[in-house]
Amino acid sequence: MKVGDLVRLKRHGRFMIKNDWEATGLIVQVLDGGSHRKNVSYEVFWSFDSLSLPKWHTAQTLEIAK
């Protein structure tokens, strides 16, 4: 995944409202550098504001929206 990709959440592992699971977002920043970083992190700008929807995710929790 890269900056500008349209993504959505991959799996229903957390307690969130239905709108959170149906939301799509745009990747605005990628953190992938450094020897200490185990997973690449993605900052996502979601289609709406939600208190239960986090901004930062790893590749395991996101998929490209089709």
Side-chain angles (χ1 to χ4, degrees), residues 16-34:
M16 292 189 213
I17 60 175
K18 183 179 178 186
N19 289 340
D20 289 348
W21 290 115
E22 295 174 350
T24 56
L26 193 65
I27 295 178
V28 293
Q29 185 177 1
V30 178
L31 296 178
D32 62 353

Side-chain angles (χ1 to χ4, degrees), residues 1-8 23-27 44-47 63-66:
M1 286 184 265
K2 59 188 184 309
V3 172
D5 283 349
L6 190 63
V7 294
R8 64 180 176 208
T24 56
L26 193 65
I27 295 178
V44 179
F45 180 73
W46 293 105
S47 55
E63 65 183 2
I64 302 289
K66 299 189 192 275

Side-chain angles (χ1 to χ4, degrees), residues 8-17 20-22 52-54 57 60-62:
R8 64 180 176 208
L9 292 174
K10 186 184 282 186
R11 53 192 148 130
H12 301 274
R14 297 183 55 167
F15 178 74
M16 292 189 213
I17 60 175
D20 289 348
W21 290 115
E22 295 174 350
S52 61
L53 196 57
H57 295 273
Q60 291 85 10
T61 61
L62 294 174

